[in-house]
Amino acid sequence: MIIEGQAAVVTGGGSGLGAATARALAGAGARVALLDVDADAARDLARELGGVALRCDVTDPRAAADALAEAGAAHGPARVLVNCAGIGTARRILGRDGPQPLDAFARIVQVNLIGSFNMLRLAAAAMAGLEPLADGERGVVVSTASVAAFEGQVGQAAYAASKGGIVSLTLPAARELAQFGIRVLAIAPGLFLTPMMRTLPDAVQASLGASIPFPRRLGKPEEFADLVLHCVANPALNGEVIRLDGALRLPPR
């Protein structure tokens, strides 16, 4: 798909991987809508990019539908959806205070997995009604998984399960939506320099970066965004989960 001139929606677009993706899409000529629960962060970046910012809880069906409708009114129907909204906190299944509260596990799955599916189903419904582009293509959905889906560490049961769900969702979604000319992909990043990572001490960041075979540093959000652009632009990519991790394989702890 030629990105220039297309309408795109990025969830979690106010910071981190989502913000870098929004910048990259806008730089490639897309009209970008940034959806985020942090409306102020999204608004500041949207103003810079000439896009629109919309407050959206991706787990809320009505809020998500309304946000996509507002984005469509501003930019036209989106042919690109990038799911970057997500949360992650480390917590053991059995801790000093007993078993992990069920609602803590459910919340992470709700945002990361169900929220991504919510946006996918709604965006795909709109894309299916659009006129096809070259090769019959109507749209592209790229979701954010994680290497934790494959090598979840101690304390990552909820996060790994939520990202593993995105991995397992990608192929059946791509197969089902192929009849409409909609491609579905996921990227599984390793250790990236996101706002969450920046809260750690410099020494810890350096140690984590050194654990990556090559390049021996934390990933840059711009590198994630570059891969999103390629996913959108390359029509042969479909149903795939792409690791972006510098050959990292997470240890148990």
Side-chain angles (χ1 to χ4, degrees):
M1 179 185 296
I2 296 173
I3 297 173
E4 185 174 7
Q6 304 297 350
V9 171
V10 181
T11 72
S15 65
L17 301 179
T21 299
R23 287 181 186 278
L25 286 167
R31 303 186 300 276
V32 184
L34 290 74
L35 278 54
D36 205 303
V37 291
D38 185 346
D40 291 336
R43 193 175 299 115
D44 290 343
L45 181 56
R47 189 178 300 115
E48 174 189 335
L49 301 179
V52 296
L54 300 165
R55 189 187 184 286
C56 178
D57 177 352
V58 295
T59 69
D60 183 330
R62 176 59 63 85
D66 289 347
L68 287 174
E70 288 187 55
H75 290 159
R79 290 191 185 268
V80 178
L81 167 67
V82 186
N83 281 315
C84 290
I87 59 174
T89 54
R91 194 161 190 167
R92 289 175 178 261
I93 298 170
L94 294 177
R96 291 189 178 90
D97 299 327
Q100 180 179 152
L102 187 58
D103 60 354
F105 183 95
R107 177 60 181 163
I108 291 175
V109 173
Q110 185 76 20
V111 173
N112 294 353
L113 175 56
I114 297 177
S116 293
F117 177 77
N118 186 31
M119 298 304 302
L120 181 152
R121 71 183 184 94
L122 294 170
M127 291 174 184
L130 301 178
E131 286 297 314
L133 302 173
D135 295 329
E137 189 172 26
R138 288 187 170 88
V140 183
V141 178
V142 182
S143 294
T144 305
S146 167
V147 295
F150 309 102
E151 302 117 32
Q153 296 179 295
V154 170
Q156 285 188 326
Y159 185 74
S162 70
K163 295 301 186 177
I166 289 176
V167 169
S168 295
L169 169 65
T170 300
L171 181 59
R175 286 172 163 172
E176 180 176 338
L177 297 177
Q179 62 183 309
F180 303 109
I182 299 169
R183 294 187 289 118
V184 182
L185 294 147
I187 299 172
L191 299 176
F192 271 69
L193 190 57
T194 60
M196 187 187 311
M197 186 68 74
R198 290 182 187 277
T199 64
L200 299 176
D202 290 344
V204 174
Q205 293 183 37
S207 175
L208 290 172
S211 71
I212 300 171
F214 189 83
R216 294 176 68 83
R217 58 165 173 77
L218 297 173
K220 300 176 182 178
E222 295 79 11
E223 293 166 336
F224 176 91
D226 285 344
L227 183 52
V228 171
L229 294 188
H230 185 71
C231 287
V232 175
N234 190 332
L237 277 174
N238 193 16
E240 188 60 73
V241 179
I242 305 170
R243 289 186 67 130
L244 187 66
D245 58 20
L248 174 71
R249 296 299 181 269
L250 295 175
R253 301 173 188 272

